[in-house]
Amino acid sequence: MRLIRVELTRLRWRRAVVALLGLAIVVPAVLGFSRAWDTRPPSAERQASIDAMVERDTQRKGTQRQLAECVANPADWGVEAGDDPVATCEEWVLPQPEWYGPPVLDLTEEHEGSAVGVILILGLLAMLIGTTFAGHDWASGSMSNQLLFEPRRHRVWLAKAIAVSVTALAVAAVVASGWWLTMYAVATRRDLAIPDGLLRDGLEQGLRGAAVAAVAALVGYALTMLFRSTVATLGVVFAVSLVSGLLIAALGLDGEGRWMPNNNLAAVVQNGSTYWDPPPAECDTPREPPAGLDCSGEGHVSMAQGAGYLGVLALGIGAASLGSHRRRDVP
């Protein structure tokens, strides 16, 4: 425990780490402010102008002709049998206020868009924190001095890993939760409709994102302890991100989308994800496909599967890094 406290202190006094932690707070805050500003309600004067444009375009002959055609032949327009054709056609054909004014803040869309962007930013910065933290020890030559005080190398490795992972987890959890609470407060102040349970889903997404950030910090740290170079680690991560998809495709695995890193990452962040999975050849024949055969072309990765995939990768990298650190000479 004492060794972990020492590593947390060393982490706190690293200027590069402090700068990255600052970015982990500032960048999501700027993104949240930008979304709130871009979706701010129009002024009374602007709203009156929007209402006038909606009324003008609604009364156009072409608009009314399209509306009449849709109501008369709803099936041709894609209206489902159980839906109200008049209400559906009016929604699809008639001009809407949001076509002319600023977009309305929609937390459901933010859940799939900006919130995911915040988590990706936190994960990237967490990996850089882990890489920078370990890389400085090797670049400055201080690793040998640290091992003089604690010669059991595995304890030093584990203490550093725990320190950087816990820091990333805590910062990411606070920032992601704060981002969601802020957006929820903005939507509530504007009296916008918020689906039941969406805030809970957003906070849970933030916690899953914090776990991803912790794993990213651990992987960045472990790779740097393995290669003993920050530049080498960043190069390897960049190369893998480029060629991983090609490599998995070359292996010819069934359902190759299931093994793509991005699909498994999305499954953890979004509590499940779908990907394109080519349907069987029987689906392309003129005959009716056999009962039970899935011809949707969609594969699914559950959160548990994604977490297992990322966990195995992190454990493998960590084991290789720890084994190397225990056996290789330290300059």
Side-chain angles (χ1 to χ4, degrees):
M1 194 66 181
R2 181 186 62 84
L3 197 55
I4 296 175
R5 289 198 299 268
V6 170
E7 293 301 335
L8 287 172
T9 301
R10 296 179 65 251
L11 183 68
R12 188 176 71 243
W13 286 103
R14 284 283 162 75
R15 293 181 180 178
V17 171
V18 172
L20 290 170
L21 290 174
L23 287 175
I25 298 173
V26 172
V27 174
V30 171
L31 181 59
F33 175 80
S34 175
R35 291 300 301 151
W37 179 260
D38 291 341
T39 59
R40 67 192 187 279
S43 63
E45 181 180 353
R46 176 60 177 163
Q47 186 62 52
S49 175
I50 291 173
D51 293 340
M53 288 188 288
V54 170
E55 179 63 23
R56 181 197 62 199
D57 292 344
T58 297
Q59 299 305 323
R60 290 182 184 275
K61 293 183 179 180
T63 302
Q64 293 298 320
R65 182 171 59 253
Q66 289 181 339
L67 178 60
E69 292 175 356
C70 179
V71 173
N73 303 286
D76 295 342
W77 283 71
V79 180
E80 297 184 3
D83 295 341
D84 182 0
V86 176
T88 302
C89 289
E90 288 180 350
E91 180 183 356
W92 288 0
V93 176
L94 296 182
Q96 304 297 322
E98 55 266 24
W99 297 3
Y100 304 89
V104 178
L105 180 63
D106 188 339
L107 293 188
T108 302
E109 293 182 1
E110 300 300 322
H111 187 270
E112 304 293 332
S114 298
V116 176
V118 168
I119 291 174
L120 292 178
I121 291 170
L122 292 173
L124 176 60
L125 292 174
M127 177 170 285
L128 291 177
I129 288 172
T131 301
T132 302
F133 180 54
H136 180 271
D137 289 341
W138 294 109
S140 64
S142 64
M143 183 63 71
S144 58
N145 293 333
Q146 296 175 39
L147 293 176
L148 290 176
F149 293 93
E150 176 50 76
R152 289 170 291 186
R153 296 186 179 187
H154 70 281
R155 294 192 63 184
V156 174
W157 192 98
L158 291 173
K160 292 177 179 292
I162 292 173
V164 74
S165 300
V166 168
T167 300
L169 177 66
V171 172
V174 171
V175 171
S177 299
W179 190 90
W180 262 110
L181 291 173
T182 301
M183 301 305 291
Y184 179 81
V186 171
T188 302
R189 183 177 179 81
R190 295 176 182 177
D191 294 326
L192 300 176
I194 302 175
D196 293 337
L198 183 60
L199 178 61
R200 184 190 68 247
D201 292 342
L203 294 176
E204 290 177 352
Q205 182 189 56
L207 293 178
R208 294 194 300 270
V212 168
V215 172
L218 176 61
V219 169
Y221 161 78
L223 286 174
T224 308
M225 292 294 285
L226 177 63
F227 298 120
R228 299 183 175 184
S229 169
T230 300
V231 175
T233 298
L234 295 178
V236 168
V237 171
F238 180 73
V240 169
S241 65
L242 290 179
V243 305
S244 60
L246 297 176
L247 179 61
I248 292 174
L251 293 176
L253 300 174
D254 291 336
E256 63 186 47
R258 163 69 181 86
W259 307 106
M260 294 292 184
N262 59 311
N263 292 334
N264 287 274
L265 178 61
V268 174
V269 174
Q270 298 177 300
N271 195 17
S273 68
T274 58
Y275 60 89
W276 167 249
D277 187 20
E282 292 87 342
C283 297
D284 295 332
T285 61
R287 299 179 181 179
E288 184 74 18
L293 185 64
D294 185 8
C295 295
S296 64
E298 285 189 352
H300 180 74
V301 182
S302 68
M303 183 183 69
Q305 290 173 324
Y309 179 96
L310 298 180
V312 168
L313 283 181
L315 288 175
I317 294 171
S321 176
L322 178 58
S324 171
H325 184 63
R326 294 182 66 179
R327 289 173 174 80
R328 290 171 64 186
D329 292 336
V330 176

